[in-house]
Amino acid sequence: MDIFICEDDQQQKEKITNYIKNYIMIEQLDMRITLSTDNPDEIIDYVKSNKVTGLYFLDVDLKHEKSGIVLGAEIRKYDARGSIVFVTTHSELTYLTFLYKVEALDYIIKDDFTDLQKRVIDCIVTANERHLSGSNEAKKRFQIKNGDKVISEDYDNILFFETSSKLHKIIMHTDSRQVEFYGKLKEIEENSADFYRCHNSFVVNIENISAIDKKTREITMVNGEVCYSSARFLKGLQKVWEK
């Protein structure tokens, strides 16, 4: 899960960023801080260009032509499943979340009585539970345990799997990252009808194939990455892909 912070107070931004970084590291969560900025346009540009399901900590009063509420409404256009948390000193502005139809995970008031660290961590825990369970959407997710970390990925984002040079390990290629874990390709291909064994070393997601070259047996994925088919699997692969 990608985490975004938009806060114009440098001290507050650093504080929230450090709370999140430390908690992710201690709990070994499959999350990362993708952007920590005071410019809402940077966040919109990123979510427009990348397929993300994010957790967003947004200051309401950003000293920018876009308020945090307006930013939240724009984020919703591109990330319908994302979790949005508003952090502000202006408790009287909560009604704007309803006006702009921005469903918020939480509304944290920055004052002397709020335990900011605990509230931020609570939001991370809730957003992570929703993300792993897929409760916001009925999409099937591929989940693996990698050490103490549970990694969860939408099937739609997976390009292919390949055997690693490390014994008994597999590399999962997605449209945004590569993850190495212990497993067997035979077990992977049984996970979904869209996963097709095209080589002794590759299982490909047929839904994300862009082109197949019969001569070179190269399989080009939708993001330009390439994997390969062996001669004996090529005919069957083309048949299922062209359906």
Side-chain angles (χ1 to χ4, degrees):
M1 181 183 285
D2 294 278
I3 299 179
F4 300 86
I5 302 155
C6 196
E7 167 68 68
D8 67 335
D9 184 312
Q10 182 65 23
Q11 190 176 2
Q12 286 282 358
K13 180 156 64 73
E14 287 178 4
K15 190 182 290 187
I16 293 170
T17 300
N18 287 332
Y19 289 157
I20 296 169
K21 272 184 180 175
N22 291 338
Y23 189 72
I24 289 173
M25 183 180 64
I26 291 167
E27 297 298 322
Q28 296 189 332
L29 299 176
D30 186 26
M31 293 179 166
R32 62 174 182 170
I33 296 178
T34 303
L35 270 176
S36 182
T37 180
D38 60 0
N39 185 352
D41 292 330
E42 287 184 23
I43 292 180
I44 291 300
D45 288 343
Y46 189 92
V47 296
K48 270 185 182 178
S49 306
N50 299 272
K51 190 161 48 173
V52 296
T53 300
L55 170 58
Y56 305 84
F57 290 89
L58 310 179
D59 184 18
V60 170
D61 185 10
L62 288 168
K63 308 294 189 294
H64 187 277
E65 60 182 19
K66 280 191 184 84
S67 71
I69 307 287
V70 171
L71 174 58
E74 288 194 27
I75 287 168
R76 275 279 173 257
K77 296 175 186 176
Y78 306 100
D79 183 5
R81 295 178 60 216
S83 298
I84 296 174
V85 179
F86 293 108
V87 186
T88 185
T89 54
H90 302 285
S91 58
E92 72 277 7
L93 298 179
T94 54
Y95 79 95
L96 288 173
T97 60
F98 301 101
L99 183 66
Y100 283 90
K101 297 180 174 60
V102 183
E103 182 191 351
L105 174 64
D106 201 357
Y107 206 107
I108 301 174
I109 309 301
K110 293 185 285 189
D111 59 28
D112 295 336
F113 305 102
T114 301
D115 186 343
L116 184 61
Q117 183 176 12
K118 181 181 183 304
R119 293 287 295 275
V120 167
I121 289 172
D122 287 346
C123 289
I124 294 171
V125 170
T126 301
N128 191 47
E129 287 173 352
R130 290 184 182 181
H131 184 66
L132 292 177
S133 68
S135 60
N136 291 341
E137 191 175 28
K139 276 189 177 181
K140 195 176 177 187
R141 300 183 67 83
F142 182 80
Q143 293 189 2
I144 48 178
K145 197 167 189 303
N146 193 12
D148 293 328
K149 183 189 293 186
V150 175
I151 293 172
S152 179
E153 190 70 58
D154 279 345
Y155 275 63
D156 291 349
N157 298 338
I158 298 171
L159 303 171
F160 62 90
F161 300 86
E162 67 171 323
T163 52
S164 169
S165 57
K166 297 173 185 173
L167 197 61
H168 305 309
K169 281 201 164 187
I170 293 169
I171 302 169
M172 176 176 68
H173 293 249
T174 78
D175 55 4
S176 61
R177 61 177 174 170
Q178 294 182 15
V179 180
E180 193 172 56
F181 62 97
Y182 285 101
K184 298 177 181 178
L185 285 182
K186 181 173 175 54
E187 294 170 355
I188 298 295
E189 65 178 314
E190 292 170 354
N191 246 283
S192 169
D194 292 333
F195 292 168
Y196 191 88
R197 183 70 171 267
C198 58
H199 191 283
N200 284 340
S201 300
F202 293 97
V203 168
V204 68
N205 184 349
I206 57 176
E207 292 298 317
N208 283 329
I209 294 175
S210 174
I212 299 173
D213 189 314
K214 293 181 186 178
K215 289 183 180 179
T216 62
R217 300 196 296 274
E218 287 184 345
I219 305 167
T220 304
M221 310 308 296
V222 290
N223 72 336
E225 270 196 84
V226 172
C227 66
Y228 298 90
S229 176
S230 62
R232 75 187 182 101
F233 287 118
L234 185 61
K235 190 174 179 181
L237 173 61
Q238 281 189 302
K239 188 175 179 181
V240 296
W241 178 56
E242 290 169 358
K243 274 186 179 179

